[in-house]
Amino acid sequence: MLKAVTTVATVIGLVGLAGAALAATATTPAAPAGGADPLMEQARQHFKAIPAAIPAVKDNAVTREKIELGKMLFFEPRLSASGIFSCNSCHNLGLGGVDGLETSVGHGWQKGPRNSPTVLNAVLNVAQFWDGRAEDLKAQAKGPIQANVEMNATPEHVLGVLNSIPAYPRKFADAFPNERNPVTFDNVAKAIEAFEATLTTPAAPFDQYLEGKADALTDQQKKGLSLFMDKGCVGCHTGVNVGGHDYFPFGVVQKPGAEILPPTDKGRFAVTKTADDEYVFRSPTLRNVALTAPYFHTGKVWDLRQAVGIMGTAQLGATLSEPEIDAITAFLHSLTGQQPRVEYPMLPASTVATPKPVLR
Amino acid sequence: MLKAVTTVATVIGLVGLAGAALAATATTPAAPAGGADPLMEQARQHFKAIPAAIPAVKDNAVTREKIELGKMLFFEPRLSASGIFSCNSCHNLGLGGVDGLETSVGHGWQKGPRNSPTVLNAVLNVAQFWDGRAEDLKAQAKGPIQANVEMNATPEHVLGVLNSIPAYPRKFADAFPNERNPVTFDNVAKAIEAFEATLTTPAAPFDQYLEGKADALTDQQKKGLSLFMDKGCVGCHTGVNVGGHDYFPFGVVQKPGAEILPPTDKGRFAVTKTADDEYVFRSPTLRNVALTAPYFHTGKVWDLRQAVGIMGTAQLGATLSEPEIDAITAFLHSLTGQQPRVEYPMLPASTVATPKPVLR
């Protein structure tokens, strides 16, 4: 974490200077036809466009069969103890990959501890969950299935359901050929990860701009982009996902109020047990942020403009003017990409052997 | 109701006789190429195939614009007070149009009073809900939105949400052209009805059989079809939807136990306040019944074979043999049709004016 903190401190030190020298995780693409203006060149130092192809995933070949199975599992409520919640309940593909709640509601109407992060482009994050405790999406997928405030299931329940429905073992055999016993909890997670790898949102106006289309952003959005870089927002929100790539303290300059940053949730500290990691979180991707209110890990801020203002105060020590907030917010709207097109999967019928829903 | 009771009594009286003279609500189609055997001819007296075209709906032209809007609203959780439940929560298009629970779970984890009926082919039912209290799908749609154990919303909440999201008034204007104020609760219901009218499941093996494909049913399914007609099941399950067309007492010969038919739920009596309607329900469609466990209005029976046996005892006064139950169950599996193909709708983002979710 020390590296990341240092990075933020550097950013803070550079507020007001040009951001061109800051951490450039993106590689600059080959100059496209049409030439580039200085703002475009500067942006390419910090960001890169979402690739049109499905990203490769470590140790999990993204095959068509795995995607198809993973889509079924993503929408499969019978993976939960109650039979009510699927991945899509809290990562609704129709709602920007989130649920639009402060914090998610799960088994028994319990409220989860943190706001549901978007599944869109999550494959491009360095790690998963607000505190990065899952190294990838296959590790992440196992969490909510088992969390008692979410799907409240066990691996045994999940495998009991899948093995009771003949179509599933067949789909697993297709997705994981040459495995003796393909219906495993690990493979459930791998299939879900493969489907989620397809949930990228390319071709946002900002991507088009990075690719050389100078008029893909409005003048106000360009002003916002310029501010976003020059004020130092790029210190934590950079790369292909405009965030999601590293860990940073929330409230590095000035801690926001306890409603937004409650003292009881120390973020990544719970993962690393390192004092430096108190109130440290993985910076969220700002991709599709205009779709994913409410904001922050507590979900207490519903207005994107207000969230921008809070970030200025808390992270940059800067009081952004109203026109600055407007411009940055306009830029953030340019991060809304093409949403995935998904045909709703038909799930195979339960049998008499399928474990019954348990509501208590 | 007297008519319906009489019909059932007639059916009961005819148990064991050929069912050809029983209530024939289906019109016999023109004889297709290939000729028909006596069983096929008999079946055509009782049933008809699901039409390939979208059925017309009374007082609500099913336009492309209305279907598109209705699909969004069907999947729109923000119509509920909590922001969690949509129509699809309890009428999951991936699960045969039901939720697979005994009775649905809604706002605050409350259990609803009756099992969720399938939305598939519901447009072909005579009326909606187990007790037929909604005359059509547009009347039905308003119920769960407002029921406090389901979506727990008000028309004001619904219209507040829709008017706060600019894309919705535009979609309503497209769907309801020439209306001064198209964003109304009535039009919400009409759009949902228009989408639901598309949710038919044609081309089940049984439909193919009715249309002349003699080998569309297995020999066991044909035996089951024959029993289904000759034992008198067709007394309550006939027509295009194999049920769903009229009202009948549950337990006309022998009342099932209180778990399956609790004395507190008197069915249609609550609608008509007529003594004859105590424990009377609209017969459910048996279309896709193999997908829609658990069974009966209480959802207490998970095994389709067991449900068939109970129907024999309760409705026909007949103890069906195991081979008879097997054959009828096999026939019921032939009623699983082609499930709707639905692209998951992208829902427009909330604004700061959108009413917040209320969980309490």
Side-chain angles (χ1 to χ4, degrees):
Chain A
M1 248 327 296
L2 201 59
K3 180 181 77 67
V5 172
T6 308
T7 308
V8 169
T10 311
V11 173
I12 303 303
L14 286 173
V15 167
L17 300 182
L22 298 184
T25 62
T27 52
T28 310
D37 54 36
L39 180 68
M40 196 185 281
E41 286 300 343
Q42 186 187 353
R44 287 174 179 164
Q45 303 293 319
H46 296 289
F47 308 105
K48 64 178 179 183
I50 289 186
I54 299 171
V57 174
K58 186 186 155 203
D59 199 21
N60 187 17
V62 179
T63 62
R64 194 177 305 145
E65 291 79 7
K66 237 182 253 175
I67 293 170
E68 183 184 321
L69 172 61
K71 184 172 85 164
M72 293 169 75
L73 298 173
F74 186 87
F75 282 97
E76 180 54 91
R78 290 169 295 188
L79 299 190
S80 67
S82 66
I84 293 173
F85 299 107
S86 69
C87 306
N88 190 63
S89 300
C90 301
H91 303 289
N92 191 322
L93 299 186
L95 291 173
V98 300
D99 56 12
L101 304 176
E102 290 185 1
T103 65
S104 297
V105 171
H107 192 89
W109 207 249
Q110 296 176 87
K111 285 190 77 168
R114 293 185 187 143
N115 178 262
S116 169
T118 182
V119 67
L120 301 178
N121 307 303
V123 65
L124 303 172
N125 290 336
V126 65
Q128 304 301 326
F129 294 118
W130 278 95
D131 53 16
R133 68 184 182 275
E135 67 171 342
D136 54 25
L137 287 168
K138 59 183 156 297
Q140 188 278 335
K142 295 178 179 178
I145 293 176
Q146 298 179 86
N148 59 16
V149 299
E150 300 184 59
M151 294 167 75
N152 195 35
T154 60
E156 292 67 37
H157 169 83
V158 168
L159 301 182
V161 166
L162 297 173
N163 281 314
S164 74
I165 300 172
Y168 272 124
R170 288 197 299 268
K171 293 274 181 192
F172 275 84
D174 291 345
F176 300 95
N178 308 319
E179 293 194 21
R180 248 184 121 92
N181 172 24
V183 186
T184 66
F185 197 49
D186 279 345
N187 284 348
V188 168
K190 281 184 165 180
I192 291 173
E193 177 178 60
F195 171 62
E196 290 178 341
T198 70
L199 302 177
T200 55
T201 63
F206 184 54
D207 293 300
Q208 297 179 35
Y209 181 78
L210 288 173
E211 287 165 348
K213 190 168 186 295
D215 63 354
L217 300 186
T218 66
D219 287 347
Q220 195 189 29
Q221 288 174 331
K222 288 178 187 170
K223 187 178 156 201
L225 166 60
S226 181
L227 287 163
F228 192 87
M229 295 187 291
D230 295 349
K231 291 281 185 185
C233 309
V234 284
C236 302
H237 295 286
T238 185
V240 63
N241 248 3
V242 195
H245 63 299
D246 210 339
Y247 304 92
F248 304 97
F250 187 12
V252 68
V253 177
Q254 183 184 318
K255 284 220 183 327
E259 192 184 56
I260 292 170
L261 182 61
T264 46
D265 184 349
K266 296 192 176 179
R268 192 157 168 78
F269 174 77
V271 181
T272 64
K273 309 290 182 196
T274 304
D276 275 353
D277 280 343
E278 287 195 349
Y279 308 108
V280 163
F281 295 88
R282 193 207 55 197
S283 67
T285 174
L286 298 182
R287 291 282 183 184
N288 304 294
V289 69
L291 306 180
T292 63
Y295 301 109
F296 304 127
H297 64 290
T298 43
K300 288 292 183 188
V301 176
W302 289 82
D303 182 353
L304 184 54
R305 294 182 74 265
Q306 189 189 351
V308 169
I310 289 169
M311 284 280 95
T313 316
Q315 303 301 93
L316 306 175
T319 303
L320 299 171
S321 70
E322 292 295 314
E324 286 173 336
I325 289 175
D326 285 340
I328 291 172
T329 304
F331 163 63
L332 294 178
H333 275 83
S334 81
L335 300 175
T336 302
Q338 286 189 342
Q339 303 297 296
R341 297 185 72 157
V342 173
E343 186 176 305
Y344 199 73
M346 294 299 120
L347 305 173
S350 293
T351 66
V352 289
T354 305
K356 304 290 176 284
V358 176
L359 294 176
R360 59 179 186 282
Chain B
M1 249 326 294
L2 200 59
K3 179 182 77 65
V5 172
T6 308
T7 308
V8 169
T10 310
V11 173
I12 304 302
L14 287 174
V15 167
L17 301 182
L22 298 183
T25 63
T27 53
T28 309
D37 55 35
L39 180 68
M40 196 185 282
E41 286 301 342
Q42 185 187 351
R44 287 175 179 164
Q45 303 294 318
H46 295 289
F47 308 106
K48 63 179 177 183
I50 290 186
I54 300 171
V57 173
K58 187 187 155 201
D59 199 21
N60 187 17
V62 180
T63 63
R64 194 177 304 143
E65 292 78 7
K66 236 181 254 175
I67 292 170
E68 183 184 321
L69 172 61
K71 184 173 84 165
M72 295 169 73
L73 298 174
F74 186 87
F75 281 97
E76 180 54 91
R78 292 169 294 188
L79 299 190
S80 67
S82 66
I84 292 173
F85 299 107
S86 69
C87 305
N88 190 63
S89 300
C90 301
H91 302 289
N92 192 321
L93 299 186
L95 290 173
V98 300
D99 55 12
L101 304 176
E102 289 186 2
T103 65
S104 297
V105 170
H107 193 88
W109 208 249
Q110 295 176 87
K111 285 190 76 169
R114 292 184 188 142
N115 179 261
S116 169
T118 182
V119 67
L120 301 178
N121 307 303
V123 64
L124 302 173
N125 289 337
V126 65
Q128 304 300 326
F129 294 117
W130 279 95
D131 53 16
R133 67 184 182 275
E135 67 170 342
D136 54 26
L137 286 167
K138 59 184 156 299
Q140 188 279 335
K142 295 177 179 178
I145 294 176
Q146 299 177 86
N148 60 16
V149 299
E150 300 185 58
M151 294 166 74
N152 195 33
T154 60
E156 293 67 39
H157 169 83
V158 168
L159 301 182
V161 166
L162 297 172
N163 281 314
S164 74
I165 300 171
Y168 271 124
R170 287 198 298 270
K171 293 274 181 192
F172 274 84
D174 291 345
F176 300 95
N178 307 321
E179 293 195 21
R180 249 185 120 91
N181 172 24
V183 186
T184 65
F185 196 51
D186 278 346
N187 284 347
V188 167
K190 281 184 165 181
I192 291 173
E193 177 178 60
F195 172 62
E196 290 178 340
T198 70
L199 302 176
T200 55
T201 63
F206 184 54
D207 294 299
Q208 298 179 37
Y209 181 77
L210 288 174
E211 287 165 349
K213 190 168 186 293
D215 63 355
L217 300 187
T218 65
D219 287 347
Q220 195 188 31
Q221 288 173 331
K222 287 178 188 172
K223 187 179 156 199
L225 165 61
S226 181
L227 288 163
F228 191 88
M229 295 188 290
D230 295 349
K231 292 281 185 184
C233 309
V234 285
C236 302
H237 296 287
T238 186
V240 64
N241 248 2
V242 194
H245 64 299
D246 209 340
Y247 304 92
F248 304 97
F250 187 12
V252 67
V253 177
Q254 182 183 317
K255 284 219 181 329
E259 192 183 58
I260 292 170
L261 181 62
T264 47
D265 184 350
K266 295 192 175 178
R268 192 158 169 78
F269 174 77
V271 181
T272 64
K273 308 292 181 195
T274 304
D276 275 352
D277 280 343
E278 287 195 348
Y279 308 109
V280 163
F281 296 88
R282 193 207 55 196
S283 67
T285 173
L286 298 182
R287 291 281 183 184
N288 304 293
V289 69
L291 306 179
T292 63
Y295 301 109
F296 303 126
H297 64 290
T298 44
K300 288 291 182 189
V301 176
W302 290 83
D303 182 355
L304 184 53
R305 294 183 74 266
Q306 189 188 351
V308 170
I310 290 170
M311 285 279 95
T313 317
Q315 303 301 93
L316 306 176
T319 303
L320 299 171
S321 69
E322 292 295 314
E324 286 173 336
I325 289 175
D326 286 340
I328 291 173
T329 303
F331 164 62
L332 294 178
H333 275 83
S334 81
L335 299 176
T336 302
Q338 286 189 341
Q339 302 298 294
R341 297 185 70 158
V342 173
E343 187 176 304
Y344 200 73
M346 294 300 120
L347 305 173
S350 294
T351 66
V352 290
T354 305
K356 304 290 177 284
V358 176
L359 294 176
R360 60 180 185 281

